[in-house]
Amino acid sequence: MAKNVAQSSLERNGLASLDQRLAMAKKCSYEGVMAGAKAAVVAGFATAVPTIASVRMLPWARSNLNPTAQALIISTVAGAAYFIVADKTVLASARKNSFNKSNMEA
């Protein structure tokens, strides 16, 4: 009987720990998504302005960069910014939480 009580309390602690880890993972991924989205918007504007300006002012760009090429340039930079910043944010959160967990156990 005592073995069943001890085992059930361990199971409860394990489930609580799992729920806590899942909540932390959701929080970290949400932070990464938001930071990546902000970076994508900034990078999109920072790329769109010179791309569109160069197409209007430079003869070479006017003849060689059609609207599809312009959109490809802007979306590539925005997508790269999103993934780079989201990845760095998630890894930083995971590293911070890893250090917090090791400090709590010690």
Side-chain angles (χ1 to χ4, degrees), residues 38-98:
K38 289 176 186 177
V41 168
V42 171
F45 281 122
T47 308
V49 171
T51 302
I52 293 171
S54 66
V55 167
R56 293 186 183 229
M57 293 182 210
L58 300 173
W60 178 88
R62 181 177 295 145
S63 63
N64 290 317
L65 295 178
N66 62 11
T68 303
Q70 295 170 38
L72 183 61
I73 291 168
I74 296 166
S75 63
T76 301
V77 171
Y82 173 83
F83 285 111
I84 290 169
V85 172
D87 183 49
K88 286 184 176 232
T89 304
V90 169
L91 288 176
S93 296
R95 190 176 302 116
K96 180 182 72 173
N97 293 330
S98 172

Side-chain angles (χ1 to χ4, degrees), residues 95-106:
R95 190 176 302 116
K96 180 182 72 173
N97 293 330
S98 172
F99 287 141
N100 287 344
K101 183 179 179 188
S102 65
N103 289 340
M104 291 171 73
E105 291 175 354

Side-chain angles (χ1 to χ4, degrees), residues 17-41:
S17 176
L18 181 62
D19 288 342
Q20 187 178 16
R21 287 182 184 175
L22 287 173
M24 189 62 67
K26 286 182 181 180
K27 180 184 173 198
C28 290
S29 62
Y30 178 77
E31 289 174 3
V33 167
M34 293 307 293
K38 289 176 186 177
V41 168

